[in-house]
Amino acid sequence: MSPVIPIHAEATACASAPVVRTERGQREVFCGLTGIIWLHRKIQDAFFLVVGSRTCAHLIQSAAGVMIFAEPRFGTAIIDERDLAGLADANEELDKVVHKLLNRRPDIRTLFLVGSCPSEVIKLDFSRAAERLSRTHSPNVRVLNYSGSGIETTFTQGEDACLHAMVPVLPSLPTSSPKRLMVVGTMADIVEDQMRRLLSDMGITQVDFFPPRNSTALPEVGPDTVYLLAQPFLADTSLALEARGAKRLPAPFPLGVEGTTAWLQAAANAFAVSADTFEKVTQAPRQRAQAALARQRPQLEGKKIFFFPDSQLEIPLARFLHRELGMTLGEIGTPYLHRKLMAEELAWLPEGSRITEGQHVENQLDRCHAEAPDLVVCGLGLANPLEAQGLATKWAIELVFTPIQGYEQAADLAELFCRPLRRRIKLAA
Ligand code: SF4
């Protein structure tokens, strides 16, 4: 059966607010260094220098192993095994590594110093190091810093920390400029191009994407900027943009047909696009996506899904899978719940939805087994044991690496959830 989706979908508050449980305990989530894997692909003239341990080096190299064969744009300065007699030594060492790197790679325009967990690293003052190195290498290279440490960040928060570090260096949009739209959050280039085309077909041409593909083409920001979040995990970036005068357009996230339509509608409203134009521009891709989802719906309808907290995409994904594909929602875990950024999504969840913010992994595993879901979305560390116990799993990390936003990707997103269910059926046969 094909889902009926209103053309101008509007969030309608569910009869009762979702039940939110907050948990603290052992977490099974990647650290923010993971973000480098998609950020280095996006910002093509940037380099990410992790100052960390061999564990950090191993994490980013194994997670992005393919880059080892290309000219990588990330590396690790390992300092945890050094006898740090004084911080001056560590700073000197860091400066030497950076000089060597920048001499060898004159194409680098922005260098991110990325902090990590080891105590030797925590002692370093990265913002001072970044200022010092920026002065030394100005004007060819700008050096910025942020932390990807597992103590301070989970998985997708690495992107929030990186973009937050960039906001202060965005040029100012001159006062009384025509209104500009900033789309905030990394999306695959192909998705960005599709979104730009749809917006431009509606007449919205003053559009910037942040982060930009080229770090020397930073978007301007100011009181005439309105912005749309393309990713839900950008709370700090959002606050920093608001401190520069930008205004957020409240919207659900562009996942699935409904999410994409409402997200585009928020931009259309801000730029006074007529209902006719909006309809004309979105109708064909919307109908194509609806037809593709209708073909996938029988594989997912009525199946129960359980989310462990990982990427902060869990709530928009649950909304999409329930409303457009008929899945039943078990517990929806999220590392953090930003109620303001998530308001439109929460209003779209069915009555009685159960959300857990934070994690106590042992308790959550017990609840997962008790619920016996058909599909579990979780991190790599939990997937193998759960599969061995007979549960079908989906790696949350794939949802961040795969282009999933927008109309053209709605079916690909659904397919990511169909595949593990088909595999389980085959294994059982
Ligand atoms: Fe490095 Fe800490 Fe991440 Fe481990 S959790 S990889 S030590 S930053």
Side-chain angles (χ1 to χ4, degrees):
M1 193 187 77
S2 159
V4 179
I5 294 163
I7 291 173
H8 299 297
E10 276 176 12
T12 43
C14 53
S16 73
V19 180
V20 181
R21 169 211 306 260
T22 305
E23 254 187 358
R24 296 287 172 259
Q26 197 195 327
R27 297 184 305 182
E28 283 278 348
V29 187
F30 277 130
C31 65
L33 293 189
T34 330
I36 293 172
I37 297 158
W38 63 90
L39 285 165
H40 89 270
R41 285 189 198 142
K42 186 80 216 172
I43 317 174
Q44 287 156 17
D45 55 358
F47 192 99
F48 294 81
L49 183 66
V50 177
V51 184
S53 65
R54 288 191 192 285
T55 313
C56 309
H58 183 70
L59 171 81
I60 62 162
Q61 284 189 357
S62 59
V66 67
M67 281 303 296
I68 292 167
F69 301 105
E71 181 72 350
R73 276 187 292 101
F74 53 80
T76 314
I78 295 168
I79 70 159
D80 67 335
E81 285 158 14
R82 215 164 282 279
D83 176 18
L84 290 175
L87 285 176
D89 293 355
N91 281 313
E92 230 171 76
E93 187 63 28
L94 182 61
D95 289 11
K96 263 194 239 157
V97 171
V98 169
H99 293 315
K100 219 159 113 190
L101 171 68
L102 295 178
N103 280 339
R104 193 167 52 82
R105 299 287 302 275
D107 53 316
I108 297 170
R109 289 286 160 269
T110 299
L111 174 69
F112 290 100
L113 298 178
V114 189
S116 62
C117 301
S119 50
E120 293 85 347
V121 175
I122 291 172
K123 281 182 214 148
L124 285 171
D125 184 339
F126 280 100
S127 57
R128 285 182 64 179
E131 271 171 34
R132 182 176 69 241
L133 287 161
S134 261
R135 270 198 310 275
T136 313
H137 297 280
S138 167
N140 297 334
V141 185
R142 171 179 278 143
V143 184
L144 297 172
N145 72 288
Y146 70 90
S147 171
S149 152
I151 301 166
E152 293 166 75
T153 56
T154 61
F155 184 21
T156 48
Q157 277 181 302
E159 172 167 347
D160 193 21
C162 175
L163 300 194
H164 180 259
M166 292 173 87
V167 172
V169 298
L170 297 182
S172 294
L173 183 66
T175 41
S176 307
S177 297
K179 196 192 285 180
R180 289 195 74 84
L181 174 66
M182 189 190 280
V183 177
V184 183
T186 301
M187 293 192 287
D189 288 353
I190 176 177
V191 180
E192 203 176 286
D193 292 342
Q194 288 166 12
M195 295 300 195
R196 190 185 285 282
R197 219 170 17 247
L198 286 168
L199 291 164
S200 153
D201 289 349
M202 286 180 217
I204 308 173
T205 51
Q206 312 89 314
V207 183
D208 301 302
F209 287 82
F210 180 55
R213 298 181 195 188
N214 180 336
S215 72
T216 56
L218 292 171
E220 295 177 328
V221 66
D224 293 306
T225 303
V226 290
Y227 71 96
L228 263 177
L229 290 179
Q231 298 285 7
F233 41 75
L234 299 171
D236 288 348
T237 305
S238 187
L239 284 176
L241 286 169
E242 274 161 30
R244 300 271 324 255
K247 290 166 208 71
R248 184 174 64 91
L249 301 177
F253 294 91
L255 298 179
V257 177
E258 272 189 315
T260 304
T261 304
W263 189 83
L264 289 168
Q265 183 76 65
N269 292 347
F271 285 82
V273 173
S274 74
D276 273 3
T277 304
F278 186 81
E279 174 62 17
K280 213 167 5 178
V281 171
T282 58
Q283 189 188 44
R286 202 178 62 231
Q287 288 178 349
R288 264 199 311 276
Q290 281 170 338
L293 291 181
R295 286 193 292 276
Q296 285 163 312
R297 189 174 168 110
Q299 295 180 63
L300 296 171
E301 194 161 25
K303 300 276 192 313
K304 188 178 206 179
I305 188 160
F306 186 107
F307 288 88
F308 280 84
D310 216 83
S311 63
Q312 295 190 44
L313 283 161
E314 295 85 2
I315 292 172
L317 287 170
R319 175 268 297 165
F320 163 65
L321 292 167
H322 174 72
R323 289 172 64 105
E324 297 190 47
L325 293 152
M327 290 192 88
T328 305
L329 302 180
E331 183 172 329
I332 309 165
T334 180
Y336 299 98
L337 176 60
H338 300 292
R339 286 174 190 270
K340 206 166 136 198
L341 302 187
M342 219 36 99
E344 288 69 25
E345 292 287 351
L346 291 173
W348 264 355
L349 285 181
E351 187 179 340
S353 293
R354 286 168 297 123
I355 296 174
T356 306
E357 184 188 20
Q359 188 168 43
H360 184 302
V361 71
E362 294 300 332
N363 291 353
Q364 202 167 31
L365 280 166
D366 289 346
R367 295 198 298 273
C368 179
H369 287 302
E371 283 201 33
D374 298 289
L375 185 58
V376 178
V377 180
C378 60
L380 295 175
L382 292 176
N384 280 346
L386 288 172
E387 286 277 345
Q389 290 159 10
L391 287 162
T393 62
K394 169 88 256 149
W395 292 352
I397 198 163
E398 266 185 76
L399 297 157
V400 184
F401 290 163
T402 314
I404 55 170
Q405 294 84 4
Y407 292 128
E408 309 298 337
Q409 282 63 238
D412 296 343
L413 176 56
E415 175 60 19
L416 288 176
F417 296 91
C418 294
R419 219 177 291 146
L421 289 174
R422 283 203 301 269
R423 192 181 60 224
R424 183 100 337 237
I425 291 167
K426 270 194 202 146
L427 284 175

